[in-house]
Amino acid sequence: MAAMVNDGSGAHGAASDDSGTDGTDGTNERSGAVPVRVLLVDDEALMRSGLRLMIDGARGIEVVGEAADGHAALEQVAALGPDLVLMDIRMPRMTGLEALAALRERGDEARVVMLTAFDTDEFLLEALRSGAEGFLLKDSPPEEVVEAVLAAAAQRPRFSPEVLRRLVRLAADRGAAGASGSSRAPGARADGAVSAAGAGPSSPSAGSPSAEASLSPAPEGITEREWDVARLVAQGLANPEIGASLFMSVATVKTHLGRLYQKLQVTNRVQLAIAVLELSG
C-alpha cells in the first residue's frame, strides 16, 4: 500500500483529473462547504485505517464510518446515509459485489467505488455492470484516492488508464472467446470475463480485438474523426495521449467524446471501449 499521507488542509476545493480518463473537463469542483461523506468497507482493519488517514479531512472529505464486510456495509449505509462507499471487492460473509447488488436493489443512492488488488480480474466487469462508479488499486497513492472519491461523488466516473486498459482487455477476451453476446446493444455492460495480460495499448498485436478495432471503418452515424478517437479509447489511451496521436487539442478530444457518448448511448470510457469492440466485430 502506498504511503498514507493526509494533506491536512481540510479545504473544500476541486480535485484535478489530469489523466482525462473520464471524458470531462478535467476538474471536479465542489460548491459550498458540504463535505463528501464516505463509508470505508474492507475486512482488513489496517487497510481501513490507512484509507482513513489518506482521505479523512482532505479537500472536503469526511469519513463517517467503517465496516468489515458486506452485511455490515448495508447496515452502515442505512444508518449513516453516506454519499459514497469505498468498498473492497473480496470480503468474507458478503462480498463487495454482493453488497453493491443489494444496495442497488433496495434503491440506495450512495455511490460505490470498488477497491481491488487486481487478483480478481473476473469481478471487474461484473462490478461495472452492477453500477460501480469506479475502481481503485489498493496501492494507489493518497492523492489518486482523494481525486477518485471526489470525482465519483460529483457523478463523474473516473478510471485510471491502467484500470481502463484492464477492463477493456477483459471485455475483448470475453468477446474473442465467443461469450460477448452479439445481441447486446452497443455500449451495454458485459457481465464477466476471463483475466488476461497483454501488450500495451499503444501497440495492439495483429489479430487481437484492439487491432481489429483500429482497422475497422466508422459505423453509420459516426464520423471518421470521432471513430479515430473511439478506437484510441478502446486501446486504453487517456485524452492527452489521444490528442497527441491525432494532432488535436484535449478540448477537441473531449468534444468528440461527448458526441460519441450521445450517439452510442454510453456514459463512460469503459462502455465506449466495449462498444467499439462490439461494433468492430
Side-chain angles (χ1 to χ4, degrees):
M1 187 175 187
M4 300 167 185
V5 179
N6 188 333
D7 66 9
S9 65
H12 306 295
S16 173
D17 178 12
D18 294 331
S19 69
T21 55
D22 60 357
T24 67
D25 62 2
T27 61
N28 298 306
E29 296 182 355
R30 291 182 52 76
S31 59
V34 179
V36 178
R37 304 174 70 255
V38 177
L39 173 68
L40 304 176
V41 185
D42 196 290
D43 60 310
E44 296 183 6
L46 182 60
M47 185 68 191
R48 298 197 305 272
S49 297
L51 288 169
R52 182 181 283 272
L53 286 171
M54 281 186 187
I55 68 175
D56 194 22
R59 296 199 290 182
I61 298 174
E62 177 186 358
V63 175
V64 296
E66 299 180 12
D69 59 50
H71 283 297
L74 295 177
E75 295 174 354
Q76 291 284 67
V77 169
L80 301 172
D83 302 307
L84 184 136
V85 181
L86 193 55
M87 183 156 55
D88 189 16
I89 286 181
R90 180 175 288 178
M91 294 182 292
R93 294 184 63 205
M94 176 181 279
T95 68
L97 289 176
E98 293 169 338
L100 173 58
L103 286 171
R104 294 296 170 257
E105 183 176 351
R106 73 185 194 186
D108 279 290
E109 296 183 355
R111 300 186 173 276
V112 178
V113 172
M114 305 302 295
L115 290 166
T116 175
F118 267 169
D119 61 346
T120 54
D121 281 352
E122 68 273 18
F123 297 142
L124 295 182
L125 285 174
E126 184 179 346
L128 181 66
R129 178 186 62 82
S130 299
E133 293 292 329
F135 301 91
L136 275 176
L137 300 183
K138 285 196 171 185
D139 60 356
S140 296
E143 186 62 18
E144 185 173 326
V145 178
V146 170
E147 290 180 357
V149 167
L150 293 176
Q155 302 183 37
R156 298 187 179 108
R158 183 174 183 271
F159 304 90
S160 69
E162 182 180 359
V163 172
L164 176 63
R165 287 193 286 267
R166 182 64 62 95
L167 287 165
V168 170
R169 286 174 188 154
L170 292 175
D173 279 2
R174 185 168 177 82
S180 62
S182 59
S183 61
R184 197 166 62 240
R189 294 173 175 176
D191 59 350
V194 179
S195 65
S202 60
S203 57
S205 59
S208 71
S210 294
E212 293 171 5
S214 68
L215 298 173
S216 63
E220 184 177 356
I222 306 294
T223 69
E224 288 294 339
R225 206 57 171 163
E226 289 168 350
W227 195 237
D228 288 341
V229 171
R231 288 182 295 197
L232 292 181
V233 168
Q235 293 178 32
L237 273 66
N239 290 350
E241 297 172 312
I242 294 173
S245 296
L246 299 178
F247 303 100
M248 64 175 63
S249 69
V250 173
T252 301
V253 173
K254 291 170 181 174
T255 297
H256 287 312
L257 283 174
R259 292 171 180 164
L260 285 163
Y261 287 2
Q262 182 177 20
K263 291 179 179 181
L264 295 176
Q265 297 183 332
V266 298
T267 59
N268 61 54
R269 296 171 79 92
V270 175
Q271 293 180 25
L272 174 58
I274 294 172
V276 170
L277 294 172
E278 292 175 339
L279 292 169
S280 302

PDB file of all heavy atoms in Angstrom, residues 10-43:
ATOM      1  N   GLY A  10      -7.938  20.310   4.840  1.00  0.00           N
ATOM      2  CA  GLY A  10      -9.344  20.470   5.177  1.00  0.00           C
ATOM      3  C   GLY A  10     -10.086  21.395   4.251  1.00  0.00           C
ATOM      4  O   GLY A  10     -11.227  21.745   4.494  1.00  0.00           O
ATOM      5  N   ALA A  11      -9.426  21.829   3.189  1.00  0.00           N
ATOM      6  CA  ALA A  11     -10.070  22.779   2.280  1.00  0.00           C
ATOM      7  C   ALA A  11     -11.101  22.091   1.429  1.00  0.00           C
ATOM      8  O   ALA A  11     -10.960  20.942   1.078  1.00  0.00           O
ATOM      9  CB  ALA A  11      -9.015  23.438   1.388  1.00  0.00           C
ATOM     10  N   HIS A  12     -12.126  22.831   1.084  1.00  0.00           N
ATOM     11  CA  HIS A  12     -13.183  22.275   0.245  1.00  0.00           C
ATOM     12  C   HIS A  12     -12.963  22.765  -1.172  1.00  0.00           C
ATOM     13  O   HIS A  12     -13.566  23.719  -1.625  1.00  0.00           O
ATOM     14  CB  HIS A  12     -14.556  22.709   0.763  1.00  0.00           C
ATOM     15  CG  HIS A  12     -14.739  22.370   2.195  1.00  0.00           C
ATOM     16  ND1 HIS A  12     -14.789  21.090   2.664  1.00  0.00           N
ATOM     17  CD2 HIS A  12     -14.855  23.163   3.287  1.00  0.00           C
ATOM     18  CE1 HIS A  12     -14.962  21.094   3.978  1.00  0.00           C
ATOM     19  NE2 HIS A  12     -15.001  22.335   4.367  1.00  0.00           N
ATOM     20  N   GLY A  13     -12.075  22.105  -1.892  1.00  0.00           N
ATOM     21  CA  GLY A  13     -11.701  22.578  -3.211  1.00  0.00           C
ATOM     22  C   GLY A  13     -11.969  21.561  -4.268  1.00  0.00           C
ATOM     23  O   GLY A  13     -12.720  20.611  -4.091  1.00  0.00           O
ATOM     24  N   ALA A  14     -11.318  21.748  -5.417  1.00  0.00           N
ATOM     25  CA  ALA A  14     -11.541  20.893  -6.577  1.00  0.00           C
ATOM     26  C   ALA A  14     -10.460  19.858  -6.677  1.00  0.00           C
ATOM     27  O   ALA A  14      -9.322  20.080  -6.318  1.00  0.00           O
ATOM     28  CB  ALA A  14     -11.558  21.738  -7.844  1.00  0.00           C
ATOM     29  N   ALA A  15     -10.806  18.687  -7.189  1.00  0.00           N
ATOM     30  CA  ALA A  15      -9.840  17.628  -7.434  1.00  0.00           C
ATOM     31  C   ALA A  15      -9.527  17.603  -8.911  1.00  0.00           C
ATOM     32  O   ALA A  15     -10.397  17.383  -9.728  1.00  0.00           O
ATOM     33  CB  ALA A  15     -10.414  16.283  -6.997  1.00  0.00           C
ATOM     34  N   SER A  16      -8.264  17.835  -9.241  1.00  0.00           N
ATOM     35  CA  SER A  16      -7.880  17.885 -10.646  1.00  0.00           C
ATOM     36  C   SER A  16      -7.696  16.491 -11.191  1.00  0.00           C
ATOM     37  O   SER A  16      -7.070  15.645 -10.558  1.00  0.00           O
ATOM     38  CB  SER A  16      -6.574  18.680 -10.777  1.00  0.00           C
ATOM     39  OG  SER A  16      -6.092  18.615 -12.093  1.00  0.00           O
ATOM     40  N   ASP A  17      -8.226  16.245 -12.385  1.00  0.00           N
ATOM     41  CA  ASP A  17      -8.067  14.964 -13.052  1.00  0.00           C
ATOM     42  C   ASP A  17      -7.292  15.177 -14.338  1.00  0.00           C
ATOM     43  O   ASP A  17      -7.843  15.343 -15.403  1.00  0.00           O
ATOM     44  CB  ASP A  17      -9.445  14.359 -13.351  1.00  0.00           C
ATOM     45  CG  ASP A  17      -9.330  13.041 -14.089  1.00  0.00           C
ATOM     46  OD1 ASP A  17      -8.210  12.507 -14.164  1.00  0.00           O
ATOM     47  OD2 ASP A  17     -10.357  12.566 -14.583  1.00  0.00           O
ATOM     48  N   ASP A  18      -5.960  15.199 -14.226  1.00  0.00           N
ATOM     49  CA  ASP A  18      -5.128  15.460 -15.387  1.00  0.00           C
ATOM     50  C   ASP A  18      -5.091  14.279 -16.335  1.00  0.00           C
ATOM     51  O   ASP A  18      -4.640  14.406 -17.465  1.00  0.00           O
ATOM     52  CB  ASP A  18      -3.691  15.792 -14.946  1.00  0.00           C
ATOM     53  CG  ASP A  18      -3.639  17.097 -14.172  1.00  0.00           C
ATOM     54  OD1 ASP A  18      -4.480  17.953 -14.437  1.00  0.00           O
ATOM     55  OD2 ASP A  18      -2.765  17.234 -13.299  1.00  0.00           O
ATOM     56  N   SER A  19      -5.515  13.113 -15.881  1.00  0.00           N
ATOM     57  CA  SER A  19      -5.454  11.941 -16.748  1.00  0.00           C
ATOM     58  C   SER A  19      -6.451  12.038 -17.887  1.00  0.00           C
ATOM     59  O   SER A  19      -6.275  11.433 -18.928  1.00  0.00           O
ATOM     60  CB  SER A  19      -5.736  10.664 -15.943  1.00  0.00           C
ATOM     61  OG  SER A  19      -7.081  10.636 -15.538  1.00  0.00           O
ATOM     62  N   GLY A  20      -7.553  12.776 -17.671  1.00  0.00           N
ATOM     63  CA  GLY A  20      -8.558  12.919 -18.715  1.00  0.00           C
ATOM     64  C   GLY A  20      -9.238  11.615 -19.040  1.00  0.00           C
ATOM     65  O   GLY A  20      -9.742  11.418 -20.135  1.00  0.00           O
ATOM     66  N   THR A  21      -9.317  10.680 -18.079  1.00  0.00           N
ATOM     67  CA  THR A  21      -9.880   9.381 -18.397  1.00  0.00           C
ATOM     68  C   THR A  21     -11.376   9.307 -18.211  1.00  0.00           C
ATOM     69  O   THR A  21     -11.981   8.282 -18.496  1.00  0.00           O
ATOM     70  CB  THR A  21      -9.234   8.297 -17.530  1.00  0.00           C
ATOM     71  OG1 THR A  21      -9.370   8.647 -16.156  1.00  0.00           O
ATOM     72  CG2 THR A  21      -7.761   8.144 -17.865  1.00  0.00           C
ATOM     73  N   ASP A  22     -11.989  10.373 -17.716  1.00  0.00           N
ATOM     74  CA  ASP A  22     -13.433  10.302 -17.514  1.00  0.00           C
ATOM     75  C   ASP A  22     -14.210  11.068 -18.576  1.00  0.00           C
ATOM     76  O   ASP A  22     -15.427  11.130 -18.526  1.00  0.00           O
ATOM     77  CB  ASP A  22     -13.816  10.824 -16.114  1.00  0.00           C
ATOM     78  CG  ASP A  22     -13.415  12.266 -15.896  1.00  0.00           C
ATOM     79  OD1 ASP A  22     -12.786  12.837 -16.812  1.00  0.00           O
ATOM     80  OD2 ASP A  22     -13.737  12.804 -14.829  1.00  0.00           O
ATOM     81  N   GLY A  23     -13.520  11.685 -19.524  1.00  0.00           N
ATOM     82  CA  GLY A  23     -14.205  12.393 -20.593  1.00  0.00           C
ATOM     83  C   GLY A  23     -14.773  13.729 -20.181  1.00  0.00           C
ATOM     84  O   GLY A  23     -15.514  14.351 -20.925  1.00  0.00           O
ATOM     85  N   THR A  24     -14.427  14.214 -18.984  1.00  0.00           N
ATOM     86  CA  THR A  24     -14.930  15.508 -18.547  1.00  0.00           C
ATOM     87  C   THR A  24     -13.871  16.561 -18.783  1.00  0.00           C
ATOM     88  O   THR A  24     -12.849  16.335 -19.403  1.00  0.00           O
ATOM     89  CB  THR A  24     -15.292  15.456 -17.053  1.00  0.00           C
ATOM     90  OG1 THR A  24     -14.085  15.291 -16.305  1.00  0.00           O
ATOM     91  CG2 THR A  24     -16.235  14.319 -16.762  1.00  0.00           C
ATOM     92  N   ASP A  25     -14.071  17.738 -18.224  1.00  0.00           N
ATOM     93  CA  ASP A  25     -13.138  18.826 -18.471  1.00  0.00           C
ATOM     94  C   ASP A  25     -11.910  18.767 -17.583  1.00  0.00           C
ATOM     95  O   ASP A  25     -11.085  19.661 -17.585  1.00  0.00           O
ATOM     96  CB  ASP A  25     -13.843  20.175 -18.287  1.00  0.00           C
ATOM     97  CG  ASP A  25     -14.356  20.366 -16.868  1.00  0.00           C
ATOM     98  OD1 ASP A  25     -14.126  19.482 -16.032  1.00  0.00           O
ATOM     99  OD2 ASP A  25     -14.983  21.401 -16.604  1.00  0.00           O
ATOM    100  N   GLY A  26     -11.759  17.684 -16.814  1.00  0.00           N
ATOM    101  CA  GLY A  26     -10.560  17.520 -16.011  1.00  0.00           C
ATOM    102  C   GLY A  26     -10.648  18.143 -14.638  1.00  0.00           C
ATOM    103  O   GLY A  26      -9.664  18.212 -13.918  1.00  0.00           O
ATOM    104  N   THR A  27     -11.820  18.627 -14.215  1.00  0.00           N
ATOM    105  CA  THR A  27     -11.960  19.197 -12.894  1.00  0.00           C
ATOM    106  C   THR A  27     -13.120  18.559 -12.175  1.00  0.00           C
ATOM    107  O   THR A  27     -14.046  18.054 -12.769  1.00  0.00           O
ATOM    108  CB  THR A  27     -12.200  20.720 -12.953  1.00  0.00           C
ATOM    109  OG1 THR A  27     -13.409  20.977 -13.662  1.00  0.00           O
ATOM    110  CG2 THR A  27     -11.051  21.437 -13.634  1.00  0.00           C
ATOM    111  N   ASN A  28     -13.045  18.580 -10.849  1.00  0.00           N
ATOM    112  CA  ASN A  28     -14.113  18.015 -10.033  1.00  0.00           C
ATOM    113  C   ASN A  28     -14.477  19.040  -8.966  1.00  0.00           C
ATOM    114  O   ASN A  28     -14.194  18.872  -7.785  1.00  0.00           O
ATOM    115  CB  ASN A  28     -13.640  16.712  -9.377  1.00  0.00           C
ATOM    116  CG  ASN A  28     -13.281  15.671 -10.387  1.00  0.00           C
ATOM    117  OD1 ASN A  28     -14.078  15.350 -11.251  1.00  0.00           O
ATOM    118  ND2 ASN A  28     -12.071  15.130 -10.304  1.00  0.00           N
ATOM    119  N   GLU A  29     -15.062  20.143  -9.399  1.00  0.00           N
ATOM    120  CA  GLU A  29     -15.321  21.234  -8.487  1.00  0.00           C
ATOM    121  C   GLU A  29     -16.514  20.928  -7.593  1.00  0.00           C
ATOM    122  O   GLU A  29     -17.503  20.364  -8.015  1.00  0.00           O
ATOM    123  CB  GLU A  29     -15.588  22.519  -9.274  1.00  0.00           C
ATOM    124  CG  GLU A  29     -14.369  22.981 -10.086  1.00  0.00           C
ATOM    125  CD  GLU A  29     -14.627  24.269 -10.805  1.00  0.00           C
ATOM    126  OE1 GLU A  29     -15.788  24.740 -10.737  1.00  0.00           O
ATOM    127  OE2 GLU A  29     -13.692  24.801 -11.422  1.00  0.00           O
ATOM    128  N   ARG A  30     -16.378  21.359  -6.325  1.00  0.00           N
ATOM    129  CA  ARG A  30     -17.463  21.221  -5.364  1.00  0.00           C
ATOM    130  C   ARG A  30     -17.820  22.601  -4.865  1.00  0.00           C
ATOM    131  O   ARG A  30     -16.954  23.375  -4.471  1.00  0.00           O
ATOM    132  CB  ARG A  30     -17.031  20.336  -4.196  1.00  0.00           C
ATOM    133  CG  ARG A  30     -16.853  18.893  -4.582  1.00  0.00           C
ATOM    134  CD  ARG A  30     -16.462  18.070  -3.365  1.00  0.00           C
ATOM    135  NE  ARG A  30     -17.358  18.280  -2.254  1.00  0.00           N
ATOM    136  CZ  ARG A  30     -18.576  17.768  -2.158  1.00  0.00           C
ATOM    137  NH1 ARG A  30     -19.042  17.018  -3.131  1.00  0.00           N
ATOM    138  NH2 ARG A  30     -19.328  18.003  -1.119  1.00  0.00           N
ATOM    139  N   SER A  31     -19.100  22.933  -4.892  1.00  0.00           N
ATOM    140  CA  SER A  31     -19.531  24.238  -4.412  1.00  0.00           C
ATOM    141  C   SER A  31     -19.961  24.130  -2.960  1.00  0.00           C
ATOM    142  O   SER A  31     -20.450  23.103  -2.519  1.00  0.00           O
ATOM    143  CB  SER A  31     -20.690  24.748  -5.272  1.00  0.00           C
ATOM    144  OG  SER A  31     -21.768  23.839  -5.228  1.00  0.00           O
ATOM    145  N   GLY A  32     -19.744  25.233  -2.216  1.00  0.00           N
ATOM    146  CA  GLY A  32     -20.156  25.256  -0.836  1.00  0.00           C
ATOM    147  C   GLY A  32     -19.209  24.482   0.052  1.00  0.00           C
ATOM    148  O   GLY A  32     -18.123  24.076  -0.337  1.00  0.00           O
ATOM    149  N   ALA A  33     -19.629  24.276   1.301  1.00  0.00           N
ATOM    150  CA  ALA A  33     -18.775  23.644   2.294  1.00  0.00           C
ATOM    151  C   ALA A  33     -19.309  22.296   2.738  1.00  0.00           C
ATOM    152  O   ALA A  33     -18.891  21.779   3.766  1.00  0.00           O
ATOM    153  CB  ALA A  33     -18.617  24.573   3.496  1.00  0.00           C
ATOM    154  N   VAL A  34     -20.222  21.712   1.984  1.00  0.00           N
ATOM    155  CA  VAL A  34     -20.787  20.417   2.364  1.00  0.00           C
ATOM    156  C   VAL A  34     -19.774  19.321   2.044  1.00  0.00           C
ATOM    157  O   VAL A  34     -19.344  19.174   0.904  1.00  0.00           O
ATOM    158  CB  VAL A  34     -22.103  20.145   1.615  1.00  0.00           C
ATOM    159  CG1 VAL A  34     -22.655  18.782   2.010  1.00  0.00           C
ATOM    160  CG2 VAL A  34     -23.113  21.237   1.924  1.00  0.00           C
ATOM    161  N   PRO A  35     -19.345  18.524   3.035  1.00  0.00           N
ATOM    162  CA  PRO A  35     -18.326  17.504   2.771  1.00  0.00           C
ATOM    163  C   PRO A  35     -18.890  16.292   2.028  1.00  0.00           C
ATOM    164  O   PRO A  35     -20.097  16.070   2.009  1.00  0.00           O
ATOM    165  CB  PRO A  35     -17.868  17.105   4.175  1.00  0.00           C
ATOM    166  CG  PRO A  35     -19.073  17.333   5.033  1.00  0.00           C
ATOM    167  CD  PRO A  35     -19.747  18.559   4.450  1.00  0.00           C
ATOM    168  N   VAL A  36     -18.004  15.552   1.417  1.00  0.00           N
ATOM    169  CA  VAL A  36     -18.358  14.256   0.853  1.00  0.00           C
ATOM    170  C   VAL A  36     -18.242  13.237   1.979  1.00  0.00           C
ATOM    171  O   VAL A  36     -17.158  13.015   2.520  1.00  0.00           O
ATOM    172  CB  VAL A  36     -17.415  13.864  -0.301  1.00  0.00           C
ATOM    173  CG1 VAL A  36     -17.781  12.476  -0.823  1.00  0.00           C
ATOM    174  CG2 VAL A  36     -17.480  14.875  -1.415  1.00  0.00           C
ATOM    175  N   ARG A  37     -19.365  12.617   2.348  1.00  0.00           N
ATOM    176  CA  ARG A  37     -19.400  11.686   3.479  1.00  0.00           C
ATOM    177  C   ARG A  37     -19.141  10.276   2.967  1.00  0.00           C
ATOM    178  O   ARG A  37     -19.878   9.758   2.137  1.00  0.00           O
ATOM    179  CB  ARG A  37     -20.742  11.794   4.196  1.00  0.00           C
ATOM    180  CG  ARG A  37     -21.047  13.225   4.645  1.00  0.00           C
ATOM    181  CD  ARG A  37     -22.432  13.394   5.234  1.00  0.00           C
ATOM    182  NE  ARG A  37     -22.561  12.735   6.520  1.00  0.00           N
ATOM    183  CZ  ARG A  37     -23.199  11.601   6.738  1.00  0.00           C
ATOM    184  NH1 ARG A  37     -23.815  10.985   5.726  1.00  0.00           N
ATOM    185  NH2 ARG A  37     -23.252  11.066   7.943  1.00  0.00           N
ATOM    186  N   VAL A  38     -18.086   9.653   3.481  1.00  0.00           N
ATOM    187  CA  VAL A  38     -17.594   8.384   2.944  1.00  0.00           C
ATOM    188  C   VAL A  38     -17.648   7.275   3.991  1.00  0.00           C
ATOM    189  O   VAL A  38     -17.276   7.483   5.157  1.00  0.00           O
ATOM    190  CB  VAL A  38     -16.142   8.538   2.439  1.00  0.00           C
ATOM    191  CG1 VAL A  38     -15.595   7.204   1.936  1.00  0.00           C
ATOM    192  CG2 VAL A  38     -16.072   9.596   1.335  1.00  0.00           C
ATOM    193  N   LEU A  39     -18.099   6.098   3.544  1.00  0.00           N
ATOM    194  CA  LEU A  39     -18.061   4.887   4.363  1.00  0.00           C
ATOM    195  C   LEU A  39     -16.963   3.980   3.814  1.00  0.00           C
ATOM    196  O   LEU A  39     -16.920   3.705   2.611  1.00  0.00           O
ATOM    197  CB  LEU A  39     -19.412   4.158   4.314  1.00  0.00           C
ATOM    198  CG  LEU A  39     -19.474   2.782   4.997  1.00  0.00           C
ATOM    199  CD1 LEU A  39     -19.337   2.919   6.506  1.00  0.00           C
ATOM    200  CD2 LEU A  39     -20.780   2.071   4.642  1.00  0.00           C
ATOM    201  N   LEU A  40     -16.063   3.513   4.689  1.00  0.00           N
ATOM    202  CA  LEU A  40     -14.971   2.627   4.297  1.00  0.00           C
ATOM    203  C   LEU A  40     -15.349   1.185   4.596  1.00  0.00           C
ATOM    204  O   LEU A  40     -15.763   0.865   5.719  1.00  0.00           O
ATOM    205  CB  LEU A  40     -13.693   2.984   5.060  1.00  0.00           C
ATOM    206  CG  LEU A  40     -13.201   4.432   4.928  1.00  0.00           C
ATOM    207  CD1 LEU A  40     -11.981   4.647   5.817  1.00  0.00           C
ATOM    208  CD2 LEU A  40     -12.883   4.755   3.477  1.00  0.00           C
ATOM    209  N   VAL A  41     -15.212   0.310   3.592  1.00  0.00           N
ATOM    210  CA  VAL A  41     -15.591  -1.098   3.772  1.00  0.00           C
ATOM    211  C   VAL A  41     -14.444  -1.987   3.307  1.00  0.00           C
ATOM    212  O   VAL A  41     -14.119  -2.043   2.118  1.00  0.00           O
ATOM    213  CB  VAL A  41     -16.867  -1.439   2.974  1.00  0.00           C
ATOM    214  CG1 VAL A  41     -17.302  -2.878   3.291  1.00  0.00           C
ATOM    215  CG2 VAL A  41     -17.985  -0.463   3.293  1.00  0.00           C
ATOM    216  N   ASP A  42     -13.825  -2.681   4.259  1.00  0.00           N
ATOM    217  CA  ASP A  42     -12.748  -3.626   3.961  1.00  0.00           C
ATOM    218  C   ASP A  42     -12.602  -4.540   5.154  1.00  0.00           C
ATOM    219  O   ASP A  42     -12.743  -4.106   6.298  1.00  0.00           O
ATOM    220  CB  ASP A  42     -11.438  -2.877   3.681  1.00  0.00           C
ATOM    221  CG  ASP A  42     -10.400  -3.757   3.003  1.00  0.00           C
ATOM    222  OD1 ASP A  42      -9.874  -4.685   3.676  1.00  0.00           O
ATOM    223  OD2 ASP A  42     -10.121  -3.542   1.814  1.00  0.00           O
ATOM    224  N   ASP A  43     -12.327  -5.823   4.888  1.00  0.00           N
ATOM    225  CA  ASP A  43     -12.218  -6.762   6.005  1.00  0.00           C
ATOM    226  C   ASP A  43     -10.895  -6.627   6.752  1.00  0.00           C
ATOM    227  O   ASP A  43     -10.736  -7.193   7.827  1.00  0.00           O
ATOM    228  CB  ASP A  43     -12.389  -8.211   5.506  1.00  0.00           C
ATOM    229  CG  ASP A  43     -11.356  -8.602   4.478  1.00  0.00           C
ATOM    230  OD1 ASP A  43     -11.175  -7.849   3.514  1.00  0.00           O
ATOM    231  OD2 ASP A  43     -10.749  -9.676   4.634  1.00  0.00           O
TER     232      ASP A  43
END
